[in-house]
Amino acid sequence: MIWFLFIIPGLIAAYVIFARPVLRALPALKRFYAEADTFWGKVWALFGRSATVAWSLVVAASSVAFDYVDPLATLLGAPDFKNQVMTLLKDNPQYLGYFAMLVSGITIVARLRSIAKVAK
């Protein structure tokens, strides 16, 4: 697992030094790189300039990250963290309802924002 600490910075450096200039020169990607010259500009362009898409990717990423709670908790010295969370949710099921209402509310707001942008 520790080898990721060396590979990821190397991949980022390879992208910045080698791949980005080549991709930026391609005619098909010129518009993308013109719109997304900053980091947040790139992130926004990758989401298709849509709050709905951004939110759905955040929810999907958080659900995938939940699979890695056990290994990360063990690595950080709390091997029973997932069990503690499950016990908390079992004892207080209303927390799941609150979370579902929060996700639904944000999704509705993001979708209405996207619909309003299209209607203009």
Side-chain angles (χ1 to χ4, degrees):
M1 180 93 174
I2 192 112
W3 52 276
F4 276 116
L5 295 175
F6 298 110
I7 291 176
I8 292 174
L11 290 174
I12 292 170
Y15 168 75
V16 169
I17 294 170
F18 301 113
R20 190 170 193 270
V22 171
L23 293 172
R24 192 178 187 127
L26 292 174
L29 296 176
K30 276 193 184 283
R31 183 172 161 229
F32 171 77
Y33 277 101
E35 289 178 2
D37 207 21
T38 65
F39 173 77
W40 292 112
K42 281 184 194 64
V43 170
W44 190 239
L46 286 172
F47 289 149
R49 295 186 306 269
S50 170
T52 307
V53 173
W55 176 244
S56 64
L57 288 174
V58 166
V59 170
S62 64
S63 66
V64 169
F66 191 71
D67 287 339
Y68 296 102
V69 167
D70 255 351
L72 287 176
T74 303
L75 183 68
L76 296 174
D80 61 337
F81 180 73
K82 192 171 186 178
N83 291 333
Q84 291 173 356
V85 171
M86 292 302 197
T87 303
L88 174 74
L89 293 177
K90 185 176 69 170
D91 293 341
N92 302 301
Q94 71 268 18
Y95 291 158
L96 288 175
Y98 297 152
F99 177 73
M101 287 188 292
L102 175 72
V103 169
S104 298
I106 293 173
T107 303
I108 290 168
V109 168
R111 188 65 197 137
L112 288 174
R113 181 185 172 277
S114 297
I115 290 170
K117 282 176 64 176
V118 170
K120 285 184 181 181

